[in-house]
Amino acid sequence: MTKNIAVLTSGGDAPGMNAGIRAVVRSAIHSGMKVWGVERGYQGLIDNRLVEMDGRSVSGIINRGGTILHSARCEAFLVPAGRERAAKTLLDRDIDGLVVIGGDGTYRGAAALYEEHGIRCVGMPGTIDNDIGGTDFTIGYDTALNTAVEAIDRLRDTADSHDRIFFVEVMGRHSGYLAMMSGIAGGAEAVLVPETPTDIGVLVDRLRACRDRGKTSSIVVVAEGDEAGNASEIAAKVSEQSEFTDQRVTVIGHLQRGGSPTAWDRILASRLGVAAVEALVEGQSNVMAALNGGEVILRPFSDTWEVKSAFDPRCVRIADVLAT
Ligand code: F6P
């Protein structure tokens, strides 16, 4: 049975990661295990940067954004030599279980660590992008969504006051999920996402139709991964092809990554953290604690790259219908 485990955060930080670390540490201690925190993701395993944690190490962090363990995207872990050094760091301390909290990219490395060195790995989905296959929601998405919607609400005030069009760029890397939901919740007149083709002519027609129906301002939410370009480029194309020239562009950017996690993200992280430790206690590996229809379940790592993530094309229609 696993006696010693470690926990790390990998990839972009997401609000709620700290709540996840807290849940892992406290439930591991509750199960009679020792638990180490790894600093800076997989890089910390390679560099042997581990700290033993106790219940007090995670006091007062459930409400804090970011990750107290720090995070990194680690190239060296992608090659076998890097993983060998990482495994040695763990095995030297008799650690045979690892919880990884992170986004896409986190799970392939963990799977390789188990296959090559027998370190059992369990994942928790953590990214604002909500783009991981096999889970309905990822830790951090809800907070980022609320941050983006608050920004859109503020921009709506000034857009209304000046009868302007605002182009608001929302994060999400290659996924339009966060942008689409921000657009629906923010009442955007148009939402441009990489999952559907963006046609500038169609966008211009829509903005004209909105104006003709009496709207004096418009919000266009642009997912950063949209194939037609970033928000500035799309705004410029709209200006070139239309009479709309007095526009403003706002890139919300990393503001979406920080901040105190919402209650939803804290609870999700707590539930997934307890489930991840239970999975290690049961001797499982290469599974992610995931949310499925309200239930916490374990999904194989392979689902994170083989199953399509949560984007629902029906939301495109909802955004369109409600923008009229
Ligand atoms: O994956 C989270 C995310 O915030 C994406 O939405 C964004 O594209 C990317 O990370 C930004 O990465 P970085 O913080 O390295 O600039």
Side-chain angles (χ1 to χ4, degrees):
M1 184 195 136
T2 299
K3 275 279 168 222
N4 300 324
I5 69 165
V7 56
L8 61 80
T9 48
S10 173
D13 62 288
M17 280 184 163
N18 280 328
I21 295 166
R22 173 180 177 271
V24 169
V25 168
R26 291 199 175 160
S27 52
I29 292 168
H30 182 78
S31 302
M33 294 190 261
K34 285 188 169 184
V35 56
W36 276 263
V38 184
E39 293 173 353
R40 295 182 176 77
Y42 290 123
Q43 191 62 50
L45 282 184
I46 292 170
D47 297 341
N48 195 13
R49 293 180 65 98
L50 272 64
V51 283
E52 191 172 345
M53 303 184 85
D54 61 22
R56 297 290 68 74
S57 318
V58 290
S59 291
I61 65 167
I62 195 168
N63 55 334
R64 282 174 53 193
T67 158
I68 59 163
L69 293 176
H70 299 252
S71 192
R73 296 190 170 101
C74 177
E75 298 284 314
F77 196 73
L78 300 176
V79 295
R83 291 193 291 272
E84 196 173 334
R85 276 167 58 192
K88 183 173 181 323
T89 298
L90 293 169
L91 295 173
D92 283 351
R93 288 179 175 80
D94 214 13
I95 296 171
D96 60 353
L98 178 66
V99 178
V100 294
I101 310 174
D104 56 356
T106 302
Y107 299 103
R108 285 178 197 265
L113 192 65
Y114 177 65
E115 273 141 33
E116 293 164 8
H117 303 283
I119 313 269
R120 285 187 285 116
C121 294
V122 172
M124 292 164 61
T127 165
I128 65 165
D129 301 336
N130 204 35
D131 63 346
I132 299 181
T135 187
D136 294 342
F137 294 106
T138 56
I139 297 163
Y141 156 71
D142 184 63
T143 307
L145 173 63
N146 280 283
T147 302
V149 171
E150 188 187 336
I152 291 168
D153 289 348
R154 287 169 187 265
L155 293 169
R156 175 76 73 181
D157 289 345
T158 179
D160 271 349
S161 303
H162 286 266
D163 305 325
R164 277 176 175 151
I165 299 172
F166 266 79
F167 290 82
V168 187
E169 189 174 300
V170 172
M171 271 188 172
R173 203 184 292 272
H174 307 300
S175 166
Y177 194 96
L178 181 58
M180 179 54 72
M181 296 307 157
S182 304
I184 291 174
E189 277 61 38
V191 188
L192 310 179
V193 293
E195 287 81 358
T196 57
T198 293
D199 181 318
I200 302 297
V202 170
L203 175 60
V204 167
D205 287 347
R206 171 182 287 255
L207 292 171
R208 285 187 181 130
C210 287
R211 181 195 57 200
D212 295 346
R213 283 195 300 269
K215 292 194 177 197
T216 56
S217 69
S218 286
I219 300 280
V220 179
V221 171
V222 181
E224 66 172 352
D226 193 77
E227 80 289 353
N230 62 33
S232 298
E233 290 162 347
I234 290 172
K237 287 178 193 169
V238 167
S239 287
E240 278 162 25
Q241 296 182 31
S242 75
E243 65 283 16
F244 299 116
T245 50
D246 188 22
Q247 305 161 358
R248 296 293 184 271
V249 175
T250 300
V251 179
I252 310 178
H254 287 80
L255 287 172
Q256 290 154 105
R257 284 251 293 270
S260 180
T262 58
W264 168 270
D265 273 329
R266 297 179 200 191
I267 293 165
L268 178 63
S270 301
R271 293 176 75 191
L272 298 182
V274 170
V277 171
E278 281 172 2
L280 284 175
V281 170
E282 287 165 9
Q284 304 229 32
S285 184
N286 290 23
V287 289
M288 174 181 73
L291 195 68
N292 184 279
E295 295 294 318
V296 174
I297 60 164
L298 299 175
R299 300 291 295 254
F301 278 163
S302 54
D303 279 5
T304 66
W305 56 83
E306 281 169 10
V307 173
K308 259 183 85 58
S309 64
F311 188 89
D312 181 350
R314 285 171 297 188
C315 290
V316 178
R317 187 167 170 275
I318 292 170
D320 285 355
V321 167
L322 298 183
T324 52

